[in-house]
């Protein structure tokens, strides 16, 4: 197959993956008469499903991500994007991420909670690959920055906290009830790990979008634990501190990245 043929196949695959994602979201989300997401898996995936579940309004970010992914799908299909180096480096991976996105909802609706953990972990790994591959070459123009760096960054940042919540929901359903007495300690420990990983990522990559999405989820996690059940002021306060730390690290990384690029630009 010629390079032009491969490029067209890549663009078509992205479109097909986006269609699957939207169908999966419609069916898996219960829009056609199925069970709403918050009631799936005996309520494990609801805002009250675990100590690390964000409050309900946090999930509104999915609307932003889906609109962004649809916009990306249309944009990447343009002839001008057919041989674009960034599309060539990331297009297949973006298609896989949308496939896994839709598959998660179908898995949650029809299969088991442990399988949802495997799917969302795979989605997180694929999104991490996309973020890394977006570093070279850099974005060209605001549309590129918005629909690739911005949308993929939000997707990655939100799935980071969603993976934590999904895993916590599974463990909550699986471990003995008496382990609940250690929930504060485990919850704080997990949030510290999230801080270390996300802060290092922000410093190294200098990307703001992932930090914004992760901090959004953490802020609503704090709201959920301080105002709803299961209640944990300790986890809620820790989540607020972690969200702030991640944002500070991302801003510092962004400034560092801009300075490095300015220094590398010939005068």
């Amino acid at each position: 197959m010629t390079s032009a043929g491969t490029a067209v196949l890549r663009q078509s695959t992205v479109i097909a993956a986006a269609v699957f994602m939207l169908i999966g979201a419609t069916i898996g989300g219960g829009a056609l008469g199925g069970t709403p997401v918050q009631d799936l898996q005996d309520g494990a995936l609801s805002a009250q499903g675990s100590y690390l579940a964000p409050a309900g309004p946090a999930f509104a970010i999915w609307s932003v991500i889906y609109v962004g992914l649809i916009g990306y799908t249309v944009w990447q299909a343009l002839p001008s994007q057919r041989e674009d180096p960034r599309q060539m480096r990331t297009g297949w991976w973006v298609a896989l991420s949308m496939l896994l996105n839709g598959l998660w909802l179908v898995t949650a609706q029809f299969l088991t909670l442990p399988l949802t953990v495997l799917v969302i972990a795979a989605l997180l790994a694929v999104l991490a690959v996309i973020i890394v591959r977006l570093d070279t070459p850099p974005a060209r123009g605001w549309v590129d920055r918005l629909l690739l760096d911005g949308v993929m960054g939000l997707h990655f940042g939100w799935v980071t906290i969603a993976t934590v919540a999904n895993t916590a929901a599974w463990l909550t359903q699986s471990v003995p009830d008496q382990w609940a007495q250690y929930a504060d300690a485990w919850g704080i420990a997990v949030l510290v790990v999230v801080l270390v990983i996300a802060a290092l990522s922000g410093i190294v990559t200098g990307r703001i979008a992932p930090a914004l999405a992760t901090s959004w989820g953490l802020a609503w996690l704090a709201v959920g634990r301080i105002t709803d059940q299961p209640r944990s002021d300790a986890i809620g306060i820790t989540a607020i501190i972690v969200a702030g730390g991640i944002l500070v690290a991302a801003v510092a990384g962004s400034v560092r990245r801009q300075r490095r690029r300015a220094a590398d630009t010939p005068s």
Side-chain angles (χ1 to χ4, degrees), residues 105-170:
L105 281 162
V106 174
T107 301
Q109 184 73 236
F110 301 110
L111 299 175
T112 66
L113 192 56
L115 285 177
T116 66
V117 176
L118 291 177
V119 173
I120 203 167
L123 173 58
L124 181 63
V126 169
L127 289 168
V129 171
I130 293 171
I131 295 300
V132 171
R133 293 179 74 86
L134 282 175
D135 271 345
T136 307
R140 297 182 300 174
W142 69 269
V143 176
D144 199 349
R145 282 191 291 271
L146 176 65
L147 294 180
L148 262 177
D149 299 81
V151 173
M152 303 309 154
L154 288 178
H155 200 180
F156 173 62
W158 172 249
V159 170
T160 297
I161 198 66
T163 301
V164 171
N166 198 163
T167 304
W170 167 52

Side-chain angles (χ1 to χ4, degrees), residues 18-32 37 66 101-106 109:
V19 171
F20 175 82
M21 177 186 70
L22 294 176
I23 293 173
T26 301
I27 296 174
L32 298 180
V37 174
Y66 280 134
N101 185 309
L103 183 62
W104 184 88
L105 281 162
V106 174
Q109 184 73 236

Side-chain angles (χ1 to χ4, degrees), residues 28-29 35-49 56 59 104:
T35 305
V37 174
Q38 63 269 21
D39 297 328
L40 292 173
Q41 305 294 334
D42 297 323
L45 301 173
S46 71
Q48 297 80 34
F59 297 91
W104 184 88

Side-chain angles (χ1 to χ4, degrees), residues 1 5 15 26 37 46 63 65 73 78 92 108-109 128 132 163 168 176-177 193 227 240 244 258 263:
M1 183 179 293
I15 294 171
T26 301
V37 174
S46 71
S63 298
I65 293 171
T73 300
L78 298 175
W92 294 105
Q109 184 73 236
V132 171
T163 301
D177 292 341
V193 173
T227 67
I240 294 172
Q258 294 301 322

Side-chain angles (χ1 to χ4, degrees), residues 164-259:
V164 171
N166 198 163
T167 304
W170 167 52
L171 292 175
T172 300
Q173 295 283 315
S174 304
V175 301
D177 292 341
Q178 56 266 33
W179 285 27
Q181 62 184 312
Y182 306 112
D184 284 358
W186 279 108
I188 292 171
V190 170
L191 291 177
V192 169
V193 173
V194 171
L195 171 61
V196 171
I197 295 174
L200 285 175
S201 174
I203 291 171
V204 172
T205 67
R207 295 188 179 278
I208 299 294
L212 288 174
T214 301
S215 297
W216 165 269
L218 287 166
W220 282 107
L221 190 160
V223 171
R225 297 296 64 78
I226 293 172
T227 67
D228 201 356
Q229 297 299 324
R231 187 180 176 96
S232 172
D233 291 347
I235 291 177
I237 293 170
T238 303
I240 294 172
I241 295 171
V242 170
I246 290 171
L247 287 174
V248 169
V251 171
S254 179
V255 171
R256 173 175 170 269
R257 187 180 188 184
Q258 294 301 322
R259 287 177 176 173

